[in-house]
């Protein structure tokens, strides 16, 4: 079995600052958390930015540029910038930072969908910032837009224009078929890094049957032309990615996907989640990939040509 690539999604746009004091929000917090995760064994760092004053997700390339160079100088990990951004951003805003930074890897979401964050409103009594509750509420009526043309544009601008490869975010079976469609059209190049995502309200649920079904389907559609990774939201994170790894997957952890390391126990850092998954996988004789090994398996060029 090949080595497990640990991706760490450091902050994201799903959670809000009132949910955890450990959610990194400022550029220095994001940099420190990313570096800590890499030192703990993450070889891919999936990154969003937040407004340094309020912690609200921001697409501003200037904010990204306050932490990207620091991370690059301090780690050899693959830097993966979101193109999904947040549900309040336009596609143009979502692409601004990746186009400026020209990274090795970017996320690419494989379909338009509902993306419900509003159930979290019921779990928190008070919010520190004015934007938090409306942000969660807005997800009730929002479509996370990723049309075929949007995907074509991202593949063209970042893939052809910058040589960027992609973490293909697939939340359901249809997204795998969409990726296969782009493979047929030769608009994407193997090896495909397929991130199967479970437990987002609007995508497929975190049920074992779904994990195995998506794996079987990806095997059928992509054969040996893909590298499978698993992420699961909230309380499903650790059990589900463990099941994935036992079945041959790489894994994604991070405070973007879950704020916890156990029932009622907030993760004090992203590194804590990286260490936890290592402590589960290594006794099972699953080896963890280094950044160099991740680059080799994903056919990445190395970080020398990035614009930061
Ligand atoms: N928050 C994840 C469920 C992206 O950044 O492109 C999805 C995500 C999207 O990571
Ligand atoms: Zn993300």
């Amino acid at each position: 079995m090949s080595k497990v690539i640990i991706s760490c999604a450091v902050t994201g746009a799903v959670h809000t600052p009132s949910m955890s004091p450990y959610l990194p929000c400022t550029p220095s917090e994001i940099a420190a958390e990313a570096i800590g995760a890499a030192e703990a064994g993450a070889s891919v760092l999936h990154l969003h930015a937040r407004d340094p004053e309020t912690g609200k997700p921001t697409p501003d390339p200037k904010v990204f540029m306050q932490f990207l160079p620091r991370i690059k100088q301090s780690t050899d990990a693959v830097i993966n910038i979101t193109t999904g951004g947040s549900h309040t951003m336009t596609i143009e805003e979502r692409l601004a930072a990746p186009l400026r930074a020209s990274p090795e890897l970017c996320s690419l979401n494989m379909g338009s969908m509902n993306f419900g964050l509003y159930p979290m409103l019921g779990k928190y009594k008070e919010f520190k910032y004015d934007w938090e509750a409306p942000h969660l509420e807005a997800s009730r009526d929002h479509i996370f837009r990723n049309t075929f043309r949007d995907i074509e544009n991202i593949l063209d601008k970042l893939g052809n224009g910058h040589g960027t490869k992609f973490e293909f975010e697939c939340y359901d079976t249809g997204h795998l078929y969409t990726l296969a469609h782009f493979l047929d059209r030769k608009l994407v190049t193997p090896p495909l890094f397929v991130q199967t995502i479970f437990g987002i309200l609007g995508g497929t649920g975190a049920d074992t049957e779904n994990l195995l079904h998506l794996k079987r389907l990806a095997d059928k559609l992509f054969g040996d032309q893909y590298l499978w990774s698993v992420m699961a939201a909230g309380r499903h994170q650790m059990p589900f990615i463990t099941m994935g790894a036992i079945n041959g997957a790489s894994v994604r952890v991070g405070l973007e996907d879950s704020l916890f390391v156990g029932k009622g126990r907030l993760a004090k850092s992203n590194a804590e989640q990286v260490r936890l998954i290592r402590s589960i996988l290594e006794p099972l004789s699953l080896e963890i990939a280094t950044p160099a090994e991740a680059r080799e398996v994903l056919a990445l060029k190395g970080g020398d040509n990035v614009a930061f």
Side-chain angles (χ1 to χ4, degrees):
M1 207 183 304
S2 58
K3 293 190 181 179
V4 176
I5 296 172
I6 301 180
S7 293
C8 183
V10 171
T11 187
V14 166
H15 298 114
T16 69
S18 299
M19 297 175 184
S20 169
Y22 307 109
L23 185 71
C25 291
T26 66
S28 19
E29 288 168 353
I30 292 171
E33 281 290 304
I35 294 163
E39 286 169 354
S43 52
V44 176
L45 300 167
H46 170 110
L47 297 165
H48 293 237
R50 291 179 183 266
D51 180 309
E53 303 296 324
T54 64
K56 185 175 183 185
T58 176
D60 188 346
K62 288 201 284 301
V63 180
F64 277 86
M65 284 303 168
Q66 287 173 41
F67 57 77
L68 292 175
R70 207 173 130 198
I71 299 170
K72 178 162 179 264
Q73 279 153 26
S74 307
T75 82
D76 186 31
V78 175
I79 291 179
N80 170 7
I81 300 184
T82 179
T83 66
S86 142
H87 59 277
T88 52
M89 298 172 195
T90 63
I91 291 274
E92 290 70 27
E93 287 173 328
R94 286 159 49 183
L95 285 182
L99 289 172
R100 165 80 180 77
S102 193
E104 273 182 279
L105 194 64
C106 273
S107 66
L108 179 47
N109 294 270
M110 293 313 290
S112 300
M113 59 189 286
N114 293 337
F115 201 114
L117 308 180
Y118 62 89
M120 287 190 284
L121 275 168
K123 295 191 183 154
Y124 299 89
K125 290 202 179 67
E126 281 177 16
F127 290 98
K128 219 162 38 184
Y129 298 102
D130 288 350
W131 65 267
E132 295 178 81
H135 178 82
L136 301 173
E137 178 57 33
S139 70
R140 195 188 296 273
D141 197 29
H142 181 265
I143 297 166
F144 182 32
R145 180 190 158 145
N146 300 286
T147 65
F148 292 108
R149 189 178 301 287
D150 294 334
I151 295 169
E152 286 168 357
N153 277 338
I154 294 175
L155 290 172
D156 184 42
K157 288 189 174 138
L158 280 166
N160 294 336
H162 290 261
T164 299
K165 299 263 301 180
F166 297 96
E167 175 198 15
F168 294 104
E169 308 229 6
C170 297
Y171 302 73
D172 216 331
T173 49
H175 296 174
L176 294 177
Y177 284 102
T178 296
L179 182 55
H181 160 81
F182 283 107
L183 183 62
D184 283 347
R185 290 172 59 196
K186 299 198 180 356
L187 295 183
V188 297
T189 322
L192 306 173
F193 184 28
V194 178
Q195 190 70 260
T196 49
I197 298 178
F198 302 86
I200 294 292
L201 182 60
T204 199
D207 292 296
T208 314
E209 295 85 346
N210 295 339
L211 179 84
L212 300 177
H213 179 50
L214 263 63
K215 157 81 166 113
R216 272 194 298 268
L217 185 56
D219 282 345
K220 182 181 116 173
L221 295 172
F222 310 123
D224 60 3
Q225 300 190 94
Y226 85 109
L227 188 288
W228 181 37
S229 183
V230 173
M231 74 139 281
R235 69 193 154 86
H236 302 293
Q237 184 189 54
M238 288 295 159
F240 219 73
I241 66 175
T242 301
M243 254 190 310
I246 290 168
N247 283 282
S250 282
V251 298
R252 178 168 128 174
V253 294
L255 271 56
E256 170 165 351
D257 303 336
S258 168
L259 295 171
F260 294 92
V261 279
K263 196 167 185 315
R265 282 172 39 228
L266 285 173
K268 292 203 169 68
S269 66
N270 279 273
E272 192 181 353
Q273 289 187 347
V274 176
R275 285 193 294 271
L276 177 57
I277 192 63
R278 285 189 73 152
S279 75
I280 296 168
L281 300 186
E282 284 172 337
L284 300 173
S285 301
L286 291 166
E287 287 183 78
I288 307 304
T290 62
E293 289 165 339
R295 282 193 174 88
E296 193 182 333
V297 180
L298 298 175
L300 301 176
K301 295 198 184 92
D304 293 344
N305 296 324
V306 300
F308 52 87

